[in-house]
């Protein structure tokens, strides 16, 4: 798989169809995988945060999110295939609906979108999707309890904002055995509920 480095952070240079094909491979194998979506802000933060830098470069897929990443690629003579985290999150939700896969969504307790709003949006936009939504603290050491783990989601979307979601995924993926894919989704949750509008 071709990767392009921006300030030392590797970006997976795959188009949307190839990324989805990779996700299907991940769901079919016997390993756990995680996906990150570094934008310019996250990449700059990683230059000051050694743990975040390591986590980003340990991911199975790294989507260059934001036009700034594409511009940085052009400046280094590379054409990065831009697929936003929101686009790919929605692709995963469509895949889960079609393939009858369970989805877990973790949101920040103090975030803009509330649990009931996320649940209502998922029911409206992905009829038939089996899902669970949990509102949690921004704590990489705090594993969701009870129902979330018992629900055994195959795909988990983590919307805690960076660097909290990346650190949570890195430290907790192994503690959720049913999870095949965990992905940091940042503001995607607010796009889903309509609380925020996506940039063009």
């Amino acid at each position: 798989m071709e990767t392009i480095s921006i300030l030392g952070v590797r970006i997976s240079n795959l188009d949307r169809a190839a990324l989805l094909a990779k996700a299907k491979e991940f769901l079919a194998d016997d390993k756990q995988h995680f996906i990150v979506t570094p934008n310019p802000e996250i990449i700059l933060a990683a230059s000051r945060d050694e743990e975040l830098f390591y986590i980003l470069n340990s991911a199975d897929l790294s989507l260059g999110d934001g036009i700034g990443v594409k511009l940085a690629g052009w400046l280094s003579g590379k054409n990065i295939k831009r697929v936003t985290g929101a686009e790919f999150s929605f692709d995963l939700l469509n895949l889960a609906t079609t393939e009858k896969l369970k989805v877990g969504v973790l949101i920040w307790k103090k975030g803009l979108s509330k649990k009931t709003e996320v649940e209502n949006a998922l029911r409206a936009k992905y009829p038939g999707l089996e899902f669970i939504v949990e509102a949690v603290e921004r704590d990489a050491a705090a594993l969701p309890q009870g129902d979330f783990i018992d629900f055994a989601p195959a795909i988990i979307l983590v919307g805690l904002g960076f660097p909290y979601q990346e650190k949570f995924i890195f430290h907790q993926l192994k503690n959720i055995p049913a999870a095949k894919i965990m992905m940091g989704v940042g503001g995607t949750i607010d796009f889903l509920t309509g609380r925020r509008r996506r940039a063009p």
Side-chain angles (χ1 to χ4, degrees), residues 22-102:
K22 275 287 183 188
K24 290 177 180 178
E25 289 177 17
F26 294 165
L27 290 163
D29 70 22
D30 59 356
K31 300 175 184 176
Q32 292 185 301
H33 303 270
F34 74 96
I35 301 170
V36 295
T37 59
N39 59 22
E41 188 180 6
I42 293 173
I43 291 171
L44 286 173
S47 69
R48 303 183 298 270
D49 183 334
E50 186 175 347
E51 183 185 27
L52 179 60
F53 182 86
Y54 176 80
I55 290 169
L56 294 177
N57 283 315
S58 299
D60 296 280
L61 287 175
S62 179
L63 283 60
D65 195 342
I67 192 64
V69 175
K70 191 165 184 71
L71 290 173
W74 282 337
L75 290 173
S76 62
K78 303 288 186 180
N79 183 26
I80 295 176
K81 297 176 177 72
R82 180 176 177 238
V83 180
T84 68
E87 288 171 336
F88 197 61
S89 298
F90 300 149
D91 286 344
L92 288 178
L93 288 168
N94 280 318
L95 177 64
T97 303
T98 302
E99 299 296 326
K100 306 298 183 187
L101 300 170
K102 292 181 179 180

Side-chain angles (χ1 to χ4, degrees), residues 99-142:
E99 299 296 326
K100 306 298 183 187
L101 300 170
K102 292 181 179 180
V103 172
V105 180
L106 294 173
I107 61 171
W108 182 33
K109 280 185 176 181
K110 298 178 182 178
L112 192 59
S113 298
K114 304 308 176 189
K115 179 179 175 180
T116 53
E117 293 176 297
V118 178
E119 291 170 337
N120 290 339
L122 287 170
R123 288 191 192 100
K125 295 178 181 180
Y126 302 95
L129 176 67
E130 286 190 83
F131 68 87
I132 186 169
V133 179
E134 192 70 38
V136 298
E137 298 291 351
R138 283 174 157 176
D139 183 355

